[in-house]
Every structure is written in C-alpha cells, then in structure tokens.
Amino acid sequence: MTVKPTFPDATPVALDTPELAFLADVRDGLSRPQKALSPKYFYDSAGSDLFEAITRLPEYYPTRTEVGILDRSGPEMATLLPARAALVEFGSGSTNKLRRLLRHLDKLAAYVPVDVSGEFLRAQAEALSGDFPHLRVEPVVADFTRDFDLPESLSGMPRAGFFPGSTIGNFEPSEAEDLLRRFGRILGAGAHMIVGVDLVKDAATLERAYDDAAGVTAAFNLNLLTRINRELAGRFDLGAFSHRAVFNPQASRIEMHLVSEGAQDVGIGSDTVAFADGETIHTESSYKYTVETFRALVERAGWTWIQVWTDPEDLFSVHALRQD
C-alpha cells in the first residue's frame, strides 16, 4: 500500500520575522515619492490562487506559450541538465510547468520547490509526491530574493535551477543580475538553470495580458491591500482604489499600479499614509527582453548562456544557462 506523504516539517522560512519584514517594506514603499509595494507580497494563499486563475485567461499568453515551449523542447532541455541532480524551483507556486519538464527528467534525484506561501507550497508538494511517488520532494519555505540554505540532504548532488514564468522580469535589470548571482551562490559551482523570459512585443498585446476583461488581474492587484488590512491592521477601502496596467516603452516594461480614486488618508497600524487624487502605488514591473539583451544580462551576472527556445510567434523564450 502506498502512503501519501505529508510535509509538516518543510524547511522553515528564511526570514527573521516575516510580519516585521512585511511592515518595514510597506512603510518604506509607501513613504517614497512614487509609492511602491514589492510584488513578492502578492503571493499569500488568495494571491497564489488568483495568479493561477490569471494564467488560464485568454488574454494572458505567457503561461500557455511557455508550456508549449516546454512540451516541444523539454527533451532537449533535459539533455542539458546533469543526471541525478536536485532541481530547485525558485518561487515555485503551482507545479504545472514543472510537471511538463518532469516527464523528460527520468533521472532526477530530488525536487526542491521554494516559495514564500507555505500553505500553498505544502499542498503542491503533497500533490506532486502523490503523482510521482518515486521522486524525492523537499519543499523550502523561503523568500528567494534573500540568501537561504538548501536542505543538507542534497549535499553532494549536482544542482539545477528552474525559474519559469518570466518572474525575472519583475526585477529591475540590475536587480535581476543580482538575483542570478544569488541563485549561483545557492546552487553552487557547475550548476545549470532553465529560465523563462517574456519577449518584447506590441503594447496592445501586453496591456491586455495585464488588464483582462474579467477583472481577475485587478482582483490580484487589489488583494495586496486586503493582505495589508489583514496582516498589518491596515484600513484600505478597496473600493477607493482601481487597477491600472500600462506599457512603458522607454523602460521596456509593463507597469501595474493601484490608483487612488480621490484624496484620502489610510491607516496602517499606528501610521497614516496620505494619498492625493489619482496618486498611484506602483505594485509591479514586468520587463520585456530581446534574446540578445537577456543574454547580455546573464553574462554580466556570471553565468554562461547556452541556448534559447522560442515559440513560432516569438512571444516568449526559455533559456538554458550554466555556471562554470
């Protein structure tokens, strides 16, 4: 009889006090001339579910396009990764894309999903273990934008990283370089990586992808305020803010904002934050690259660029990297 595994002892969060870190980041972000909040705080349990809903929207091309690339080129990607490796997925969320790659990784020794949403992470890990009972799954609850340790049980295994979904585009280019360097430190010398990167395209296609007709992306954006209300004693009126997504061609990025629909003061714990009518909170940037600009970024970060796969319309790209 096969016993379904559970994961009560996932490696603990790599933060001193997550609530205090959240509060400090909110205070800092909302005190800037251009108010801003980090997109990493989108992903509580509700936010993770909303993002999964976004990936199924007709306007949101990145997920289905990347999945198509993984389906077509997964066997070739698998040949570039070392045998008996531990595959570390940074910001794992749903395992949908990982499952497409797993079909071709029959010699994978372990899978290490890393995510800040512990409840969602453990649920995904349990489901994956049920479907792949011979795969060793070791979830790590951590913020991948900060250094953290991999489980000691992986010692001596070759390492590979998986970073799909164009999450790399949520970082300023200099921050993306730093992030790739951090991944290199975590994975160690000789590591490989598979990275998803969204490509530059027309503004209309991009803006539809981040401002869908059903309003799911708007709910995802506004959920950040709900989280502040719940966890930090915030008093945001969600009806007093709206969602905006616009392409900034000079910076080659989509920007998501929450727009104050009138002058208002908002309490957060003992703090009060003033908003002018029309003032925005910049909640996310999603940079779009060409293959050439992303390859240059990779090499500045100390990785060797190996190969790229794209879809027939050149909407999206998946890159293979190696750290010598």
Side-chain angles (χ1 to χ4, degrees):
M1 182 178 70
T2 300
V3 178
K4 183 180 178 181
T6 58
F7 299 89
D9 300 318
T11 303
V13 171
L15 296 173
D16 294 332
T17 309
E19 294 80 6
L20 291 179
F22 185 20
L23 178 59
D25 286 347
V26 168
R27 280 175 167 165
D28 174 62
L30 296 185
S31 67
R32 298 178 187 178
Q34 169 59 72
K35 292 179 172 64
L37 293 170
S38 172
K40 71 184 179 183
Y41 293 117
F42 281 136
Y43 298 99
D44 62 353
S45 181
S48 294
D49 288 341
L50 283 166
F51 183 73
E52 290 307 308
I54 288 170
T55 66
R56 297 188 291 271
L57 294 169
E59 298 97 330
Y60 194 77
Y61 65 86
T63 299
R64 63 176 178 271
T65 307
E66 186 177 27
V67 164
I69 296 170
L70 292 172
D71 285 345
R72 287 190 302 274
S73 302
E76 191 176 0
M77 295 177 196
T79 65
L80 298 177
L81 300 182
R84 307 302 304 164
L87 182 66
V88 180
E89 183 173 2
F90 297 98
S92 55
S94 164
T95 58
N96 290 340
K97 293 173 188 172
L98 180 276
R99 288 167 181 268
R100 314 305 277 248
L101 197 56
L102 270 183
R103 295 182 298 175
H104 311 295
L105 295 173
D106 55 340
K107 296 181 180 178
L108 191 68
Y111 169 61
V112 184
V114 180
D115 204 276
V116 293
S117 181
E119 180 182 351
F120 188 80
L121 173 69
R122 281 183 280 269
Q124 290 291 315
E126 289 179 13
L128 188 71
S129 286
D131 293 338
F132 295 86
H134 302 297
L135 178 65
R136 180 171 165 186
V137 180
E138 299 205 26
V140 175
V141 183
D143 177 354
F144 66 75
T145 67
R146 305 185 183 197
D147 288 335
F148 64 90
D149 294 324
L150 293 174
E152 292 183 4
S153 57
L154 306 181
S155 179
M157 290 184 187
R159 309 280 177 81
F162 188 43
F163 197 44
S166 197
T167 306
I168 193 79
N170 295 147
F171 297 84
E172 297 293 322
S174 61
E175 295 173 343
E177 286 182 43
D178 290 342
L179 187 67
L180 288 175
R181 291 189 189 97
R182 174 172 288 108
F183 289 169
R185 290 195 301 272
I186 291 168
L187 295 171
H192 291 66
M193 274 203 74
I194 300 294
V195 184
V197 180
D198 200 5
L199 297 175
V200 175
K201 59 189 64 66
D202 66 282
T205 298
L206 288 167
E207 290 177 358
R208 282 195 300 270
Y210 290 83
D211 192 6
D212 60 279
V216 182
T217 310
F220 174 70
N221 203 7
L222 287 161
N223 182 64
L224 185 49
L225 303 186
T226 299
R227 183 176 181 186
I228 292 172
N229 285 351
R230 182 180 66 250
E231 298 181 25
L232 303 179
R235 294 179 290 283
F236 280 98
D237 175 1
L238 271 64
F241 287 84
S242 61
H243 166 72
R244 178 190 295 165
V246 62
F247 182 59
N248 179 338
Q250 289 74 33
S252 191
R253 71 187 188 191
I254 276 280
E255 296 178 2
M256 288 207 326
H257 293 259
L258 291 167
V259 185
S260 178
E261 299 293 336
Q264 57 183 308
D265 293 333
V266 177
I268 302 174
S270 60
D271 299 338
T272 301
V273 181
F275 288 86
D277 183 19
E279 187 174 8
T280 74
I281 307 171
H282 185 182
T283 55
E284 183 178 58
S285 291
S286 184
Y287 281 85
K288 310 305 174 185
Y289 290 91
T290 66
V291 170
E292 294 74 21
T293 57
F294 186 69
R295 178 174 182 172
L297 185 150
V298 162
E299 292 175 348
R300 289 195 301 271
W303 289 79
T304 298
W305 184 91
I306 302 174
Q307 192 167 342
V308 65
W309 299 269
T310 63
D311 61 283
E313 297 178 80
D314 285 332
L315 296 174
F316 201 88
S317 60
V318 177
H319 300 249
L321 321 177
R322 182 181 67 247
Q323 184 168 242
D324 297 322

